[in-house]
Structure formats: C-alpha cells, structure tokens
Amino acid sequence: MEKILEVKDLQVSFNTYAGEVRAVRDVSFHINQGETLCFVGESGCGKTVTAKAIMRLLPKGQAVIKEGSQIIFSGKDVLKMDGKELRNYRGNDVSMIFQDPMTSLNPTMTCGKQIIETLRLHRGLSKEEATKEAIHMLEMVKIPDAERRIKDYPHQMSGGMRQRVMIAIALACQPHLLIADEPTTALDVTIQAQIIDLLRELKEKLNTAIILVTHDLGVVANFADRIQVMYAGQVVERGTAREIFYEAKHPYTWALLSSVPKLAKESKQELYTLQGTPPDLILPLEHCPFAARCEFCMPICKEQMPPETVLTDTHRLSCWLQHPDAPKVKSFYEREV
C-alpha cells in the first residue's frame, strides 16, 4: 500500500508560566492509503496535540514544533509549507473532524452554508453546484430529508446529527486523509456505533485513510487496522488491532483493555481502575514514564528509559519486562482472558 503520511521524531512543547511542557516526545509513525490508524490513551497523553500538529493547527506563540521533527505528506514537508500551500493541504489533502461539533460549527450559519463555503473555497464550484453537492454530502452521511435540513442551524440538530454535519464538511473535498478527534465523545452508545459504521462505510467508498483519536478501546475494536498506544507524550506500544487486543505486552495497554466493560463479566463484578496519575510533563522523563503506576515496576524502570522491543514487523513496545533477564509475569488482563 502507498504510504501517504510519515511522521518522524515529532516533538511538541507548550510554553507556560510554569515552564516548558513537553506534550509530545519523539513520536514516529506512518499511515498508508485506505488504512485506519488509531491513537489510544488517557486524556493528556498527546493524542490530540499530535493530530493538530499534522494539520498545523497548534496555537502560535504557545506551541512549538521542535527542530528535527518531520511531517511528510505525499513527499511534501508539511512544516515547510507556506500559507497558500497550507490552505490547499487543509481540506483538499487532509481534513479533521473536531471533538465537539457544537463549538466547531458556526452557530450563526446554517449547516448547509458551512458545507457550501468549503466546496466553493477548495473546489471552486458555483453556488448552485455547491448547494447540490452539499445536499449530496448530507445524504451520504445519512441525514434524512437533506434538502430541508440543509437550511437548519447547528442548534436545531441533535448531537449525532451535528457530528454527521462535521463529517460531511470534512469529506466535502474528498481528502486523502481524515483525522477524527474523539468523534463519538458525548454521544450515546447507539449513536457512537452509527458514527463508527458511517466512517467505515465512507472509508471503503472513498478509499480515505483515517486517523482516529480516542481514549476508548471499545470504540476501535472492529474499526482499526493498526493501533498505537500513547502515554505521557510517547508511543509505548503499537501493533495491528489483533496484536493489541490479543497479544498486548505493555502493562499500560493491559490496563486500558481491562477498563473496557465486557459482556461476559458478571454484572456485580467491579471494573478495573488504573491507580495514580500521569507524570508531570514539565519534568524531564529519564526513566519509564509508567513506572510509578505499574504493578510490575522493577528498580531499572525508575532509572532508565526502556528500549523499543521489536516483536514482529508490526508489533513493537517499550517496556523493561521484555528484557531477557526480566521476570516472566502474567498480567491481570491475561488472567481475565
């Protein structure tokens, strides 16, 4: 498959009154055409910052993409693009579905007008052509009675409908890559499933690559091709969906998997809770960032950063438990499975 995006050694810092917050630390990955890559991890791990860095949407003056970072899209260096190139890149090549449609959509414009504006700006369509295409896009994302709903304002639609409008805007220019930042947040379980099914259907129809940002492994179970687990601004484990769900080796991945409710469990059984808090990202991390919360922590975990261990061509992780001299442990997640 053709590699359309490659990120190398991405480092993003925020300048705050308390000091430099290193939100993303040496993150590298790639995504192929038509593939779905999911970023998974708890809040503050760097998922959204990584996604916004790809779009060059980080706040100027506050966020800094460090020297040595590379974001290559179809052979072009995104970090060296000028204003005109960026306008073509955003929308035509890469689009983003933002986390909260109520704050991302303009409340003073009809939903249809917001789609039409995108089509006229990026594809150069006439007003009549753009209106017809906007109706088609609303039909594609399964909004009923699209010709009437195109005149509705965001507040006249439900949360699920607003999210569909956001997807329609993002897909209006048929981008090669779609970044979905928590597209199912604040939606009920039924609507969550519908949105994921819609994204899967559109991916197959348009052959669009998708980066899905989420904290919920349950959402990506039947959707992701590959998953990368992030913690404290780093990728701690990456692999195919099957490798992460059935052959996970990092204690943090085990914790995420154990916190997903399972139908097979008894209703009164307590759900696993990961104790402790993530490390302060202002401080330099010279050892395993998960050491303070890990039940398998060894002395070396608090002294040195673990090297990356290659298990297969697709499955890699950074954990001292993979060292030949480390004790063989059976995780709480493996005991459940």
Side-chain angles (χ1 to χ4, degrees):
M1 289 187 291
E2 182 189 355
K3 189 186 293 184
I4 63 166
L5 177 74
E6 188 168 14
V7 175
K8 297 179 182 177
D9 303 319
L10 179 64
Q11 298 183 61
V12 182
S13 292
F14 287 86
N15 298 316
T16 71
Y17 68 91
E20 180 186 350
V21 178
R22 295 185 60 199
V24 177
R25 305 174 181 230
D26 296 309
V27 167
S28 299
F29 63 91
H30 74 276
I31 185 168
N32 301 317
Q33 184 69 46
E35 186 180 35
T36 301
L37 173 65
C38 292
F39 298 169
V40 179
E42 61 193 311
S43 297
C45 70
K47 308 183 301 295
T48 297
V49 174
T50 302
K52 287 189 174 182
I54 294 169
M55 292 289 291
R56 290 274 304 272
L57 288 175
L58 294 169
K60 290 181 180 179
Q62 297 176 13
V64 179
I65 298 177
K66 295 288 188 176
E67 197 172 332
S69 304
Q70 286 185 293
I71 301 173
I72 310 297
F73 181 84
S74 296
K76 299 176 184 176
D77 191 341
V78 176
L79 299 179
K80 293 180 180 177
M81 288 181 176
D82 58 26
K84 185 177 180 181
E85 288 175 314
L86 271 177
R87 280 192 296 274
N88 288 327
Y89 169 72
R90 297 180 189 137
N92 287 341
D93 295 327
V94 182
S95 286
M96 189 165 181
I97 303 169
F98 294 96
Q99 191 165 350
D100 184 2
M102 197 60 202
T103 55
S104 301
L105 292 171
N106 189 332
T108 67
M109 294 170 63
T110 64
C111 294
K113 191 173 181 181
Q114 294 180 62
I115 303 172
I116 291 166
E117 185 180 62
T118 302
L119 290 165
R120 297 196 70 183
L121 179 66
H122 289 284
R123 289 174 59 180
L125 300 182
S126 67
K127 188 175 181 180
E128 191 176 319
E129 290 171 331
T131 302
K132 190 181 292 185
E133 182 65 17
I135 293 170
H136 172 66
M137 291 306 302
L138 290 180
E139 289 172 343
M140 187 182 287
V141 296
K142 298 183 179 177
I143 289 183
D145 198 7
E147 285 192 45
R148 181 178 66 83
R149 299 309 295 268
I150 198 172
K151 299 174 185 176
D152 284 357
Y153 287 86
H155 72 270
Q156 293 175 288
M157 292 191 168
S158 66
M161 288 295 181
R162 285 194 292 266
Q163 195 60 278
R164 289 166 193 264
V165 172
M166 284 293 299
I167 295 171
I169 293 171
L171 292 173
C173 299
Q174 298 183 359
H176 301 294
L177 173 63
L178 176 66
I179 300 173
D181 183 12
E182 301 273 14
T184 58
T185 297
L187 301 176
D188 63 61
V189 178
T190 307
I191 304 300
Q192 280 185 11
Q194 290 176 5
I195 294 296
I196 292 299
D197 286 343
L198 174 62
L199 288 173
R200 184 188 294 109
E201 188 179 315
L202 292 171
K203 182 188 92 164
E204 292 169 357
K205 189 180 291 184
L206 303 174
N207 196 33
T208 302
I210 296 177
I211 292 177
L212 178 65
V213 175
T214 184
H215 60 271
D216 186 356
L217 273 167
V219 169
V220 305
N222 297 311
F223 182 56
D225 294 313
R226 289 187 295 121
I227 298 171
Q228 62 180 31
V229 180
M230 295 187 69
Y231 185 78
Q234 302 173 11
V235 178
V236 295
E237 185 165 14
R238 68 183 86 214
T240 63
R242 179 168 186 82
E243 286 168 337
I244 295 299
F245 276 94
Y246 295 102
E247 299 168 31
K249 299 296 182 186
H250 198 286
Y252 181 61
T253 311
W254 293 336
L256 290 178
L257 289 166
S258 295
S259 65
V260 178
K262 297 173 182 65
L263 292 174
K265 280 189 174 183
E266 294 181 17
S267 59
K268 293 183 180 179
Q269 192 170 346
E270 190 174 336
L271 199 62
Y272 175 81
T273 303
L274 178 61
Q275 301 299 317
T277 57
D280 187 343
L281 295 181
I282 290 179
L283 302 175
L285 294 179
E286 297 173 351
H287 55 77
C288 176
F290 191 61
R293 306 173 76 185
C294 181
E295 66 174 89
F296 307 109
C297 180
M298 300 175 288
I300 194 170
C301 300
K302 296 181 180 180
E303 296 169 5
Q304 296 180 37
M305 191 70 75
E308 187 173 64
T309 302
V310 180
L311 300 179
T312 69
D313 291 341
T314 53
H315 195 184
R316 302 177 176 213
L317 74 152
S318 300
C319 181
W320 282 114
L321 286 175
Q322 298 305 307
H323 193 277
D325 296 333
K328 303 303 175 188
V329 301
K330 194 163 187 180
S331 75
F332 40 84
Y333 178 70
E334 288 175 316
R335 290 195 292 267
E336 287 178 356
V337 174

